[in-house]
Amino acid sequence: MDIAALLPQFGSLIWTLLAFVIALSVIVAIHEYGHYIVGRWSGIDADVFSLGFGPVLFSRVDKRGTKWQFALLPLGGYVKFKGDSNASGGKDDEAMAVLSESERRRTMNGAPLWARAATVAAGPVFNFALSILIFTGIFMLRGDVTDPVKVGELRAVPAQNELQVGDVLIEIEGVDLPAYSESSSFQSFLDDLPQQEHLDYTVQRGDDQLVVQGPYVYPPVATQIIPRSAADDAGFQAGDIIISVDGSNIYAFEQLREAVEGSEGATLNLEVWRGGDIRDLQLTPRSTDEPQRDGTFETNYRIGIVGGMFFEPATEMRGAIDAFVSGIQQTGRIVDGSLTGLWSMITGAISTCNLSGPIGIAETSGSMASQGTTSFIWFIAVLSTAVGLLNLFPIPVLDGGHLVFHAYEAVTGRPPSDKALRVLMAIGLTMLLSLMLFALSNDLFCP
C-alpha cells in the first residue's frame, strides 16, 4: 500500500471533521446558551451546561452552582436544569419531592408555564438571531457596488486585460454602461454584449478617458465551488477559468451554462486555466431540482460553479439598518426554501436525495472552510437557521414538541400526564432516529 498516496486524503478528512466540529459546536453553544440564559432570566436554575456528550474532559462550577463542561463527543450539547431527571429533560420525582415551594419554583418543572415556554423557545430563537447577525455583518462588509462601476480588484485571467484597479467604466463596445443599481437594465446590457474573447472598454482613469481592451465581462470563471457538486468532486478550485468545452473555445459564462444544460447529463471534457497552467478536467453535470418563483421546482443540469466578473467591483459599506433588514430577509429565505423543499420531497415533487445527513453536512463544512473564512462563516449562519427550524418541528424530544405540550397545558389548564409524556417522547425519539438514518442513507447511496 502506498501510504504517501493516502496522506492527502487523510489530511482532507481531518480538515472536514475539524470544520464540521467547529461549525456544529458554535451552533450548539448558541442554541443551548439561549435555553440557559432565558431560563436564568426566568428564575430557573441550571445544574449542567455541556458541550458534547460522554466522558467529561474539562469542567468548572460557577458561583450560581452551574457546572460548565466540555465532553469527549462533540456531536451536540445540553442544559440540565434543576429538577430534571436527565439531559433531555423529564421530571426527577425524587429530587422534586424534597424541595420547598420556593426551591420548586427554581426548577424547570416547577416554574410557571410562561417561564418554561420562553426557556424552550429561546434555543431556536438564538439560532435565528445568530444567523441574522452573521448575515448582517457580511452584508455590511461586502457593501454595495458603486455607481458608476469602478474596478476594485482584478482577477487573473488568460485573456489580454488592459484595465487597471481604480478604472471607472463608462462604455463597453461603444455603448454607455447603465447604473449597476438598475439590475434589470444592467443585465439586459450584458446580455446584448458580443460573446467574444476581447471587448473594448471606455474607462475614466484619473483625468483621462481611455479605450482599452479586456475580456468578456462575465468570463467562465469559478468564483465559488458549490460543496458536493460535480465541480467539487472533479477538483475545481475558486479562480479556475474554463477556456474550452469538448474542444470548443468559450469566452462567456453563459456559453458554459448552455453547454452544461445541453449536455443532458453527458460527461464534458473541459480545458481549465489555473494561474497560467492548462489542465484537462472531466465532469458529469447532475440533475438538480431548483425552486421557482411560483413555488414549484424545475429540474436542470448543473455542475456547481458560481460565476462572476473578471474583476471585483469597488464597493461602499452598507448602513447597519439596511444590512440588518437584509440579514432578516436572508434568514427568512432559508426558512422558506427549507420548508418548500421539505414539502416537495414529501409530496414527491422532488427527489428525497435533496435531504443531507451528517456526512453530507460534514463534507459541506470542509468544502466551505476550504473556500475561505467568509464562506465558512456564511455556512454556519445557514446551518444555524436550519438547526433552529428543525428544533421547532412539533416532534416530541425537540423544542417544538415541548412547545406543543406547553400549548396543551395552556388550553386545558394541566400538563399531559407523565405516562402520556413517556409514550410521546419514545415516539418522538423513534421518529427523529428514523429521520437521521434516512438522511444518512442518502449520504451513502444517493448520487
Side-chain angles (χ1 to χ4, degrees):
M1 179 182 293
D2 185 0
I3 300 297
L6 295 177
L7 290 178
Q9 299 179 31
F10 181 73
S12 177
L13 176 61
I14 294 298
W15 177 254
T16 295
L17 291 176
L18 180 61
F20 177 59
V21 168
I22 291 174
L24 186 62
S25 297
V26 169
I27 292 166
V28 168
I30 291 296
H31 181 95
E32 297 302 333
Y33 187 75
H35 289 315
Y36 165 78
I37 194 64
V38 172
R40 200 180 88 183
W41 292 340
S42 302
I44 303 173
D45 292 338
D47 289 337
V48 180
F49 185 109
S50 179
L51 279 182
F53 299 98
V56 176
L57 301 177
F58 169 80
S59 68
R60 75 173 185 87
V61 178
D62 66 15
K63 62 182 180 180
R64 297 177 180 273
T66 301
K67 181 182 179 182
W68 298 75
Q69 66 184 37
F70 289 94
L72 180 62
L73 301 176
L75 300 176
Y78 62 89
V79 177
K80 182 179 179 295
F81 289 103
K82 187 179 182 67
D84 288 350
S85 59
N86 51 54
S88 60
K91 186 191 299 183
D92 186 340
D93 292 321
E94 292 184 6
M96 294 288 289
V98 299
L99 297 178
S100 66
E101 190 64 30
S102 61
E103 289 173 328
R104 287 174 62 86
R105 168 59 182 84
R106 304 198 68 80
T107 68
M108 186 65 159
N109 292 283
L113 178 59
W114 67 265
R116 286 178 277 138
T119 300
V120 170
V125 169
F126 269 54
N127 280 134
F128 294 136
L130 173 65
S131 300
I132 292 170
L133 290 176
I134 289 176
F135 289 138
T136 298
I138 291 177
F139 288 141
M140 286 184 66
L141 293 175
R142 282 183 178 175
D144 293 318
V145 176
T146 60
D147 272 324
V149 176
K150 179 191 293 186
V151 177
E153 182 179 341
L154 290 167
R155 303 185 194 278
V157 294
Q160 179 182 357
N161 182 18
E162 298 174 348
L163 279 82
Q164 298 180 7
V165 173
D167 285 350
V168 177
L169 275 58
I170 307 299
E171 298 176 349
I172 304 179
E173 290 293 304
V175 181
D176 289 340
L177 194 73
Y180 188 89
S181 57
E182 299 174 4
S183 55
S184 58
S185 298
F186 192 84
Q187 187 59 52
S188 296
F189 170 80
L190 295 178
D191 292 341
D192 292 337
L193 291 174
Q195 295 177 347
Q196 58 193 37
E197 184 175 9
H198 296 109
L199 298 176
D200 288 332
Y201 292 80
T202 303
V203 301
Q204 188 71 39
R205 184 177 296 170
D207 296 329
D208 300 322
Q209 193 170 99
L210 308 172
V211 177
V212 296
Q213 278 200 331
Y216 185 80
V217 182
Y218 276 90
V221 59
T223 61
Q224 183 181 344
I225 307 299
I226 302 300
R228 307 183 71 212
S229 64
D232 193 19
D233 292 344
F236 274 81
Q237 298 178 8
D240 285 351
I241 298 177
I242 296 91
I243 58 178
S244 75
V245 179
D246 288 338
S248 298
N249 292 336
I250 61 172
Y251 308 106
F253 193 87
E254 184 60 30
Q255 292 174 305
L256 175 63
R257 188 197 312 276
E258 292 170 358
V260 170
E261 293 180 348
S263 69
E264 297 295 327
T267 299
L268 299 175
N269 298 293
L270 307 178
E271 273 192 308
V272 177
W273 186 89
R274 181 182 295 171
D277 296 327
I278 305 296
R279 300 167 183 259
D280 294 320
L281 297 178
Q282 286 187 331
L283 55 72
T284 303
R286 299 172 184 171
S287 59
T288 304
D289 298 314
E290 298 178 330
Q292 306 300 302
R293 290 185 176 181
D294 60 1
T296 61
F297 282 78
E298 181 177 285
T299 301
N300 294 302
Y301 284 99
R302 295 288 183 257
I303 58 176
I305 287 179
V306 178
M309 299 184 188
F310 71 91
F311 64 91
E312 287 285 353
T315 59
E316 298 174 330
M317 181 172 286
R318 296 177 71 172
I321 295 178
D322 182 40
F324 181 68
V325 171
S326 296
I328 294 175
Q329 293 172 339
Q330 179 63 34
T331 303
R333 282 192 290 269
I334 295 171
V335 170
D336 180 67
S338 299
L339 293 175
T340 301
L342 181 61
W343 176 250
S344 297
M345 281 187 278
I346 293 173
T347 59
I350 63 175
S351 170
T352 55
C353 284
N354 287 281
L355 180 66
S356 294
I359 296 176
I361 296 172
E363 290 178 346
T364 302
S365 300
S367 182
M368 295 300 283
S370 68
Q371 295 186 47
T373 303
T374 301
S375 296
F376 183 55
I377 294 176
W378 181 276
F379 171 72
I380 289 177
V382 173
L383 190 57
S384 182
T385 301
V387 169
L389 177 62
L390 175 64
N391 271 277
L392 286 178
F393 286 0
I395 300 175
V397 178
L398 297 179
D399 295 332
H402 287 285
L403 290 174
V404 171
F405 298 152
H406 294 329
Y408 172 86
E409 183 178 349
V411 172
T412 64
R414 64 183 186 279
S417 67
D418 291 341
K419 181 178 180 180
L421 282 176
R422 285 194 295 270
V423 172
L424 290 171
M425 294 293 276
I427 293 173
L429 183 60
T430 301
M431 293 173 61
L432 191 60
L433 290 175
S434 299
L435 178 63
M436 292 175 63
L437 288 174
F438 180 74
L440 180 60
S441 69
N442 280 354
D443 292 338
L444 297 173
F445 302 114
C446 281

